[in-house]
C-alpha cells in the first residue's frame, strides 16, 4: 500500500534537490469526435478536450499543495491527428487550431498529438497532413507534433525520413523570428510509444482507454546528491544507490498519478520515471555522469556511465509503480540541461558522441541546434542514423533538431524557460543526399520476425 508517509520521506528531495512531478498528462481519444466535415469535427474536438481537461490545472494545484510536491506541467495528449483528419486532410490546419485553442482555454502548457504514424507506408492523406505541419506549428502556440517513421517490426520508411528533413527546414523558416522555435515542438520517432507523457512527442495511442492520466516524474538532482553521498563506492554500490533513489522518486509519482486519475474521472495509465533535466543548475543528467567520475560529459566513458544510470533508474522505478511506461530512463536534451550546454560549448560534447549515447538512453538526439543552412538531406540522414539505432536495438529513438535560421557554429539560440538555450553544434559537411534520395524502405532486422 502507498500512503502519505511514502511522500514525507521525500521532503528533503523536494526542498533541496529539485525533485518534482515534471508533468501530469491527460490522454484523450478523439476518435468519437469525427463528423462529416472538418469544421464540425474541429468544434467537437475543441468541446471534448475542454470538457475532459477542464479541471486538470485545478487538480494539479490541489495535489501539489496537499502532498507538497511541485507539479511543473499540465498537459494533454490526443489521438494522432492524421487519423482524425483522414477524410479531410486538406483542412488539417482547422484541427490543429482547435487543439491549440482548447489548450489555451483549459490553461495547459502544451497539447500533443498533431501526429502521424507512417513507419511502414505513407498514404496520400498522411502525406498531406505532414505537409501541413510547418504552417500549423507556426500559427499555434501550445500544439506539439510528432511523426513515427520507423519501427523494429516494419523497418524505416525512408520516403518519410526524406520528407521530414524538408518539413523541419520549412518549420524552422516559418518560425525564424523565434529562432526556429517551431522545431522545438516537432519530434521524429522510431518505435514511438503510445503512453508517453512528455512533450513534444506525446500522443494518445489508439490502444489506450478513452481518457487516461500519465505522469512523468523527474529527479536528476536527487540522484546526483545520492551519488555525492558515497564518493568512494565502487560501481556496484553506486548502481544500488541509484536504484534505491529511483524507487523513492517513482513512489511519489505513483501516488500523484492514481489520485489525479481518480479526481479527473480518468483511468490511471502509467508513471514515466525518466530523469528529465532542466536548465537550472543542480537539475542535470550531465552532472550525474560527471559525479560518477567523468571530468566532462562527452569524454570517453560517457556512454558506459549513461548505460549504467539508465538501467539502474529503470530497475528501481519498476519496483515502485504498478504501471511503469512511457520512455523511462534518462533524457539527454542539450538545450534543457546546463551540463550538456556547457559541455557542448567547450566542444567536449559533439553530435557523434550524443548519437552513441542515444543507444543506451531513453530517447535520442533531443533539442540539438545546428546551423540554419544545414541541408535538409543532412537532417534526414541524422534522422535515419537515429532511427537505425532504435530499429536494431528494439528501443525508442527520436530526433528533435533545430536548424536555427541565420545561425552558424559558435552561435547560440535561446528559447527560455524549460527549453533553455542551445549552442549551435557542428555537423559533417559531406553530403548524404544521394542516399536519402533513394527512398524506399530499409527492411526490418532479422530479429523482427518473431510472430
Amino acid at each position: 500500500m502507498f500512503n502519505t508517509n511514502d511522500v514525507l520521506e521525500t521532503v528533503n528531495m523536494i526542498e533541496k534537490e529539485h525533485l518534482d512531478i515534471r508533468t501530469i498528462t491527460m490522454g484523450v481519444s478523439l476518435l468519437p469526435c469525427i463528423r462529416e466535415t472538418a469544421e464540425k469535427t474541429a468544434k467537437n474536438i475543441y468541446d471534448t478536450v475542454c470538457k475532459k481537461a477542464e479541471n486538470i490545472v485545478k487538480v494539479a494545484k490541489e495535489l501539489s499543495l496537499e502532498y507538497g510536491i511541485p507539479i511543473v506541467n499540465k498537459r494533454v495528449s490526443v489521438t494522432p491527428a492524421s487519423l482524425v483528419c483522414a477524410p479531410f486532410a486538406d483542412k488539417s490546419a482547422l484541427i490543429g487550431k482547435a487543439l491549440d485553442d482548447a489548450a489555451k482555454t483549459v490553461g495547459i502548457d502544451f497539447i500533443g498529438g498533431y501526429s502521424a504514424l507512417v513507419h511502414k507506408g505513407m498514404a496520400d492523406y498522411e502525406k498531406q497532413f505532414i505537409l501541413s505541419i510547418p504552417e500549423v506549428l507556426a500559427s499555434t502556440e501550445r500544439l506539439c507534433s510528432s511523426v513515427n517513421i520507423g519501427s523494429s517490426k516494419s523497418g524505416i520508411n525512408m520516403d518519410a525520413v526524406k520528407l521530414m528533413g524538408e518539413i523541419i527546414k520549412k518549420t524552422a523558416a516559418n518560425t525564424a523570428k523565434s529562432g526556429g522555435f517551431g522545431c522545438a515542438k516537432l519530434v521524429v520517432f522510431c518505435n514511438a510509444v503510445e503512453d508517453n507523457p512528455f512533450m513534444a512527442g506525446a500522443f494518445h495511442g489508439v490502444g489506450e482507454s478513452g481518457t487516461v492520466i500519465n505522469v512523468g516524474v523527474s529527479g536528476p538532482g536527487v540522484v546526483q546528491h545520492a551519488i555525492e553521498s558515497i564518493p568512494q563506492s565502487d560501481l556496484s554500490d553506486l548502481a544500488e544507490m541509484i536504484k534505491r533513489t529511483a524507487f523513492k522518486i517513482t513512489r511519489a509519482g505513483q501516488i500523484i498519478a492514481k489520485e489525479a486519475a481518480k479526481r479527473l474521472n480518468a483511468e490511471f495509465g502509467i508513471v514515466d520515471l525518466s530523469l528529465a533535466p532542466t536548465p537550472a543548475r543542480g537539475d542535470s543528467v550531465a552532472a550525474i555522469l560527471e559525479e560518477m567520475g567523468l571530468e566532462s560529459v562527452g569524454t570517453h566513458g560517457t556512454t558506459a556511465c549513461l548505460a549504467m544510470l539508465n538501467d539502474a533508474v529503470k530497475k528501481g522505478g519498476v519496483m515502485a509503480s504498478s504501471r511503469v511506461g512511457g520512455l523511462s530512463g534518462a533524457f539527454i536534451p542539450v538545450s534543457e540541461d546546463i551540463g550538456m550546454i556547457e559541455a557542448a560549448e567547450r566542444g567536449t560534447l559533439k553530435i557523434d558522441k550524443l548519437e552513441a549515447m542515444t543507444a543506451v538512453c531513453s530517447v535520442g538526439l533531443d533539442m540539438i541546434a545546428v546551423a540554419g543552412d544545414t541541408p535538409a538531406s543532412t537532417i534526414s540522414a541524422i534522422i535515419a542514423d537515429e532511427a537505425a539505432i532504435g530499429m536494431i536495438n528494439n528501443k525508442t529513438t527520436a530526433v528533435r533538431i533545430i536548424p536555427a535560421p541565420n545561425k552558424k557554429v559558435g552561435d547560440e539560440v535561446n528559447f527560455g524557460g524549460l527549453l533553455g538555450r542551445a549552442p549551435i553544434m557542428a555537423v559533417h559537411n559531406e553530403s548524404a543526399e544521394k542516399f536519402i534520395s533513394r527512398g524506399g524502405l530499409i527492411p526490418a532486422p532479422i530479429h523482427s520476425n518473431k510472430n
Side-chain angles (χ1 to χ4, degrees), residues 164-439:
M164 287 312 300
E166 298 163 358
I167 292 296
I168 289 169
K169 286 281 290 186
K170 187 172 290 186
T171 301
N174 285 5
T175 54
K177 290 183 180 179
S178 57
F181 176 69
C183 295
K185 302 187 294 173
L186 174 58
V187 185
V188 184
F189 278 113
C190 178
N191 288 323
V193 298
E194 296 189 334
D195 54 6
N196 171 20
F198 286 106
M199 299 296 168
F203 63 86
H204 184 69
V206 294
E208 299 281 312
S209 298
T211 310
V212 302
I213 291 294
N214 297 321
V215 163
V217 298
S218 183
V222 180
V223 174
Q224 180 186 350
H225 187 266
I227 295 172
E228 288 173 351
S229 70
I230 49 172
Q232 303 304 319
S233 69
D234 66 17
L235 293 175
S236 297
D237 290 340
L238 203 63
E240 287 299 313
M241 176 61 81
I242 295 169
K243 284 164 57 178
R244 289 198 298 270
T245 305
F247 179 90
K248 294 177 182 179
I249 293 170
T250 308
R251 186 163 52 190
Q254 169 87 1
I255 297 168
I256 295 294
K258 294 194 77 170
E259 189 60 30
K262 179 181 176 182
R263 297 187 189 188
L264 290 166
N265 194 30
E267 289 194 21
F268 164 46
I270 57 92
V271 176
D272 185 318
L273 49 96
S274 295
L275 298 179
T278 71
R281 202 166 295 280
D283 199 25
S284 164
V285 170
I288 297 174
L289 303 179
E290 290 169 0
E291 191 61 41
M292 291 169 73
L294 303 175
E295 183 176 350
S296 171
V297 66
T299 192
H300 305 297
T302 298
T303 306
C305 286
L306 182 59
M308 193 186 88
L309 172 65
N310 214 53
D311 181 64
V313 165
K314 290 184 178 183
K315 286 174 177 173
V318 163
M319 294 297 293
S321 175
S322 58
R323 294 185 184 178
V324 169
L327 300 166
S328 288
F331 286 173
I332 53 170
V334 173
S335 78
E336 299 172 16
D337 186 313
I338 186 62
M340 299 287 180
I341 293 168
E342 291 175 349
E345 289 174 336
R346 290 192 300 267
T348 311
L349 185 63
K350 300 180 185 296
I351 284 184
D352 287 348
K353 185 60 177 179
L354 277 166
E355 182 183 302
M357 293 165 67
T358 64
V360 298
C361 78
S362 283
V363 194
L365 294 172
D366 195 14
M367 289 302 288
I368 308 291
V370 297
D373 60 359
T374 303
S377 59
T378 297
I379 293 172
S380 293
I382 291 170
I383 293 169
D385 282 343
E386 199 58 36
I389 290 173
M391 177 184 71
I392 295 297
N393 291 289
N394 199 31
K395 71 181 293 290
T396 302
T397 52
V399 173
R400 185 161 50 146
I401 188 169
I402 302 104
N406 305 314
K407 299 287 187 179
K408 61 183 184 301
V409 176
D411 294 338
E412 136 180 320
V413 59
N414 195 330
F415 298 119
L418 286 176
L419 294 175
R421 60 186 176 88
I424 306 301
M425 302 183 76
V427 300
H428 291 282
N429 293 323
E430 296 78 12
S431 175
E433 186 170 1
K434 183 177 180 180
F435 164 62
I436 296 301
S437 296
R438 288 180 181 272

Side-chain angles (χ1 to χ4, degrees), residues 41-89:
T41 300
K43 183 181 184 306
N44 209 21
I45 285 172
Y46 174 84
D47 292 342
T48 298
V49 173
C50 288
K51 182 179 179 180
K52 295 276 189 182
E54 63 179 340
N55 291 320
I56 189 171
V57 174
K58 175 187 172 186
V59 167
K61 288 180 179 178
E62 290 172 353
L63 291 172
S64 184
L65 288 172
E66 289 175 30
Y67 290 98
I69 302 177
I71 300 174
V72 180
N73 294 294
K74 284 69 68 177
R75 299 164 172 172
V76 169
S77 63
V78 298
T79 308
S82 69
L83 302 177
V84 180
C85 297
F88 29 74

